[in-house]
Amino acid sequence: MLEARNLKLWYGDFRALNGVSMSITPNAITAIIGPSGCGKSTLLRCFNRMNDLVEGSRTEGEVLFEGKNINDRRFDMTELRKRVGMVFQRPNPFPLTVFDNVAYGPRIHGLASGDALREIVKKALQSTLLWDELGEKLEAPALSLSAEQQQRLCISRLVAVAPDVLLMDEPCSALDPMATQNIEELMLELKKRFTIVIVTHNMQQAARVSDFTGFMLLGDLVEFGETQRVFTAPRQKKTEEYITGRYG
Amino acid sequence: MKQDSAIRLILLGLAMSSVAALAVITLFIFREGLPIIFRQGPGSFLFGSDWDPGAEPAAFGIFAMIAGTFAVTGGALLLGVPVGLGSAIFLSEFAPRKVATILKPALELLAGIPSVVFGYIGMLVLSPFIRDHIGGSGASVLAGSAILGIMILPTIISISMDTLRSVPRSYREGSFALGATGWQTTWKVTLPAARSGLVAAVILGMGRAVGETMAVIMVTGNTALVPKSPLSPARTLTANIAMQLNAAVGEHREALFACGVVLFVIIMVLNTFANWVAKLGKRA
Ligand SMILES: Nc1ncnc2c1ncn2[C@@H]1O[C@H](COP(=O)(O)OP(=O)(O)OP(=O)(O)O)[C@@H](O)[C@H]1O
Ligand SMILES: [Mg+2]
């Protein structure tokens, strides 16, 4: 589905990725773990080319999406980001109503309007289990929701454009334990329809929800494999040190 | 500690004295200006179209000047708002950061150019151009609007840019991450989020235009008649006061202070409205 090949990235003179290769399996959850500043977010943002927005960043290597290199100049950015959506660390709903947040993607891509749009919004909110809570409050300002609801809303906003991949950058780090558990359950549910890549600080979370885990250190992907295997029988010493908490 | 409280006292004293000075000026203007408004009746003062201090009996109707003020200000907004907001949007959303950090202070320097210089350029270049290529005598609402339109740019651009920059980056990221283009993001997310600050920028620009005097005197022709077209001459409230106060005595002098009262109220209303709109945005 998605595959990075010898991916390198510089912020100015600083190299944040030293040649990362990894392949993302469809309809599975792939977790990227590692200490702060090791390049997890940077790697994730290569999959939808969000690093393009950072002035002075430069990428080398390939990211294949359905066999095509998205780093190619000719690749259609709008199409890429429609199909590879991103959830951010801090919930970032637009300062609009609940409805307008979810309808935002379908509208800018000209997917639907009128009743068809309302149906898309409803389905998207249902898929994140927000419909029961917010179905009557579609005109409420999104910023008035709880943090968990906001994060769910951000996920609904992606689901509404029917992407193939969901990139999640520490989606629970601004949430309390209860909300975190709810979002994790939601991820397991969403996995049936989407391919998910999640960055997390939280090793238990990676162990709980993911099928594959990659461990990063200082811009390198040190180890990558099935979650079960990485956590029980790490092949690299550094991975073992990190997951047993002896790192640093 | 002792030193601290002494400094606090001194600063407090300074602050109070500036407030007191403003209060005294305000009181003075109102004391000088209000009586004639009520003696003559607010209706005939505000909406009387005849201003003739030299006649027997003298006529003090300021409608022509109110109309002149709003005509010139409206024209200035017609020109200054699209250009100002457009520049602010371009600089904060689309221009490379380097360009913006150089251009913004440069534009703010515009605000430091004395208005007499703007007036001089208007007199020398703009009015003759209008006379030769568009029509009329050149000294006109159009000339005043054009000059004021330029003069309010720094206000509008600088406040708008600050507002746009204070819109959280995460909104833009969320939009880009959904595949929106830069323009869609600006139009549908950033501008709505910045709306109240942008309205405040426009209103403050308007306040600046209403209060401007020198440049307007130099290019508008100063005829105390309701302007019939953009090419007609006009006189603003500020110009009326500045040109006549020197020689005015008695009722005439009072009437000019009354013009000051009207101006004062207009500007207070604009500023209060701008503050209110800006606060409204912060709360949401
Ligand atoms: N916009 C940027 N400009 C310059 N350097 C950056 C930028 N973003 C990230 N970096 C640097 O790149 C490295 C990797 O950052 P990244 O955000 O990918 O780390 P991370 O693993 O996600 O960390 P965290 O767990 O703290 O989120 C860090 O050293 C960081 O300082
Ligand atoms: Mg990160």
Side-chain angles (χ1 to χ4, degrees):
Chain A
M1 163 113 316
L2 264 175
E3 187 181 352
R5 284 192 185 163
N6 195 21
L7 192 62
K8 296 177 185 162
L9 186 139
W10 287 261
Y11 293 117
D13 294 332
F14 174 74
R15 188 158 75 176
L17 294 179
N18 307 325
V20 171
S21 300
M22 83 188 299
S23 164
I24 308 293
T25 308
N27 292 92
I29 300 181
T30 302
I32 304 173
I33 59 171
S36 200
C38 67
K40 305 182 294 293
S41 302
T42 302
L43 175 60
L44 194 71
R45 291 161 63 94
C46 285
F47 290 128
N48 66 346
R49 288 195 43 188
M50 281 302 274
N51 290 314
D52 289 13
L53 302 181
V54 179
E55 247 177 84
S57 73
R58 186 165 59 85
T59 312
E60 256 179 37
E62 293 185 331
V63 176
L64 301 180
F65 179 51
E66 296 178 332
K68 289 200 195 105
N69 181 14
I70 65 170
N71 287 342
D72 191 319
R73 264 173 198 284
R74 281 159 300 181
F75 203 96
D76 180 359
M77 217 33 37
T78 301
E79 185 63 16
L80 172 68
R81 289 177 182 159
K82 188 174 132 209
R83 301 193 49 196
V84 182
M86 177 167 257
V87 178
F88 296 81
Q89 185 164 355
R90 302 213 131 267
N92 62 344
F94 304 127
L96 307 169
T97 63
V98 169
F99 184 90
D100 285 341
N101 263 278
V102 184
Y104 187 83
R107 278 179 177 146
I108 59 172
H109 294 296
L111 298 182
S113 61
D115 284 341
L117 181 60
R118 269 188 286 282
E119 192 55 31
I120 288 180
V121 170
K122 181 176 176 185
K123 285 239 168 71
L125 287 170
Q126 280 170 339
S127 70
T128 58
L129 309 177
L130 268 181
W131 181 255
D132 290 339
E133 291 163 54
L134 298 182
E136 306 286 309
K137 291 197 252 171
L138 293 178
E139 295 308 315
L143 298 183
S144 70
L145 306 180
S146 73
E148 184 197 339
Q149 286 176 325
Q150 289 191 10
Q151 198 60 300
R152 282 176 187 271
L153 184 66
C154 291
I155 299 173
S156 317
R157 190 166 76 178
L158 297 183
V159 171
V161 294
D164 300 298
V165 182
L166 301 180
L167 306 174
M168 302 185 167
D169 193 349
E170 305 193 37
C172 301
S173 66
L175 305 180
D176 62 45
M178 195 61 209
T180 299
Q181 193 188 335
N182 293 339
I183 298 282
E184 285 178 8
E185 278 164 18
L186 176 61
M187 286 168 55
L188 292 173
E189 188 60 34
L190 289 172
K191 165 171 115 168
K192 296 173 190 157
R193 292 167 57 201
F194 305 100
T195 301
I196 298 179
V197 186
I198 176 177
V199 162
T200 176
H201 251 115
N202 178 333
M203 272 179 287
Q204 287 76 33
Q205 181 169 62
R208 277 194 302 266
V209 300
S210 72
D211 303 291
F212 299 90
T213 297
F215 169 59
M216 289 188 72
L217 199 57
L218 295 172
D220 287 306
L221 184 65
V222 173
E223 178 149 8
F224 183 58
E226 284 185 32
T227 299
Q228 177 83 13
R229 208 269 303 146
V230 171
F231 277 92
T232 53
R235 289 183 186 143
Q236 303 294 327
K237 193 144 183 295
K238 284 177 179 152
T239 314
E240 189 183 339
E241 282 173 3
Y242 184 71
I243 58 179
T244 55
R246 269 186 282 135
Y247 173 83
Chain B
M1 278 325 260
K2 219 177 203 166
Q3 203 183 4
D4 249 22
S5 56
I7 290 174
R8 260 237 303 277
L9 264 176
I10 293 173
L11 290 177
L12 184 72
L14 289 173
M16 292 314 285
S17 55
S18 60
V19 170
L22 284 174
V24 167
I25 292 172
T26 309
L27 268 176
F28 180 70
I29 295 173
F30 275 77
R31 202 197 63 192
E32 297 292 307
L34 275 184
I36 188 169
I37 296 183
F38 287 106
R39 230 173 24 246
Q40 193 179 318
S44 98
F45 184 76
L46 291 175
F47 299 110
S49 53
D50 209 13
W51 174 270
D52 196 350
E56 261 324 310
F60 299 111
I62 63 167
F63 186 67
M65 272 77 80
I66 292 181
T69 296
F70 279 103
V72 173
T73 302
L77 291 178
L78 235 43
L79 186 88
V81 170
V83 175
L85 290 186
S87 312
I89 291 168
F90 171 74
L91 286 176
S92 103
E93 305 300 309
F94 295 97
R97 197 165 337 136
K98 265 206 196 111
V99 175
T101 41
I102 294 171
L103 274 185
K104 187 170 185 257
L107 279 163
E108 281 164 358
L109 270 185
L110 259 184
I113 298 178
S115 57
V116 66
V117 174
F118 280 103
Y120 190 60
I121 294 172
M123 239 166 109
L124 229 58
V125 182
L126 194 60
S127 293
F129 180 88
I130 292 173
R131 184 187 61 222
D132 297 343
H133 297 275
I134 307 180
S137 69
S140 56
V141 171
L142 180 62
S145 295
I147 290 291
L148 279 183
I150 295 168
M151 290 179 70
I152 63 176
L153 285 179
T155 308
I156 295 183
I157 294 176
S158 154
I159 299 177
S160 304
M161 273 184 81
D162 290 343
T163 308
L164 288 170
R165 283 180 171 179
S166 71
V167 172
R169 238 170 63 109
S170 63
Y171 293 167
R172 298 185 181 88
E173 279 192 324
S175 173
F176 280 120
L178 277 163
T181 60
W183 185 235
Q184 286 171 326
T185 301
T186 301
W187 191 246
K188 298 193 165 185
V189 177
T190 314
L191 289 184
R195 190 174 40 210
S196 59
L198 298 178
V199 172
V202 169
I203 296 171
L204 291 176
M206 187 171 171
R208 168 108 214 263
V210 169
E212 175 50 38
T213 312
M214 200 57 200
V216 176
I217 290 180
M218 293 169 80
V219 300
T220 54
N222 303 310
T223 310
L225 291 173
V226 176
K228 295 200 173 52
S229 87
L231 297 178
S232 318
R235 185 190 296 179
T236 63
L237 285 167
T238 51
N240 193 41
I241 300 172
M243 289 190 312
Q244 300 192 344
L245 196 56
N246 216 0
V249 289
E251 274 212 311
H252 185 194
R253 184 167 173 281
E254 280 184 72
L256 292 178
F257 272 101
C259 288
V261 169
V262 173
L263 257 177
F264 189 97
V265 170
I266 293 175
I267 294 195
M268 279 307 270
V269 168
L270 287 179
N271 281 354
T272 312
F273 189 60
N275 277 337
W276 177 72
V277 173
K279 265 210 206 89
L280 212 66
K282 281 214 187 81
R283 233 188 12 216

